[in-house]
Amino acid sequence: MKLFLPGLLFTIVWLAISGSFTIPNLIFGIVVAALSLSMVRHQWSESSTYWRRAPAILFLAVLFLKELALSAWTVARLVLTPKMELKPGIFAYPLKLDTDFEITLLANLITLTPGTLSVDVSEDRSKLYVHALDCSDVEATKRSIADGFERRIMEAFRK
């Protein structure tokens, strides 16, 4: 029962991303959410309280939707500009996260945000390599990830 809220959240995100609000797609979303959560259930410690994490998970979801909208707007504006002055590139983002679940979640949130793509994780799991459509200010992008997704992931999934 303690994974009900994340499962519901995963299902809602699936429906929003797929854009199909049919019964078969809802059932598919529930199955995928259940399978996903069953793979990481051991990382949800028994000592942590479910209701303490629920608001942090909700804030992470809201942050993702906000970043998704803002980055989609930014990418659309860049693409529609007659004279595109983009500086695409790859940069190494220093990770504060250490579990596979947290690193994977961060990489997926970055990849799902338009204009960015997680490329690889270093062997020692200290860096995440990210491709960005515009690398004109890499430090600002790193700060945005650290103060946004990474901080919210730590708040939601650390004891």
Side-chain angles (χ1 to χ4, degrees), residues 22 33 47 52 76 124 137 149:
T22 63
S47 63
R52 181 185 63 81
D124 62 357
D137 191 357
F149 290 144

Side-chain angles (χ1 to χ4, degrees), residues 71-86:
S71 63
W73 173 256
T74 302
V75 169
R77 198 178 70 231
L78 286 170
V79 170
L80 294 175
T81 302
K83 186 177 177 186
M84 282 194 287
E85 295 183 22
L86 299 177

Side-chain angles (χ1 to χ4, degrees), residues 16 21 23-24 26 36 51 53 63 67 75 86 97 111-112 117 119-121 126 134 142 148 153 155:
F21 298 93
I23 297 296
L26 172 66
S36 300
W51 293 108
R53 290 184 185 210
L63 174 66
E67 290 295 324
V75 169
L86 299 177
L97 305 172
T111 297
L112 288 171
L117 175 70
V119 179
D120 198 8
V121 177
S126 66
D134 189 10
K142 287 181 182 180
I153 289 170
E155 290 171 1

Side-chain angles (χ1 to χ4, degrees), residues 38-58:
S38 72
M39 288 188 277
V40 296
R41 73 176 177 272
H42 65 279
Q43 294 192 9
W44 290 73
S45 89
E46 295 299 324
S47 63
S48 66
T49 59
Y50 171 72
W51 293 108
R52 181 185 63 81
R53 290 184 185 210
I57 292 170
L58 184 62

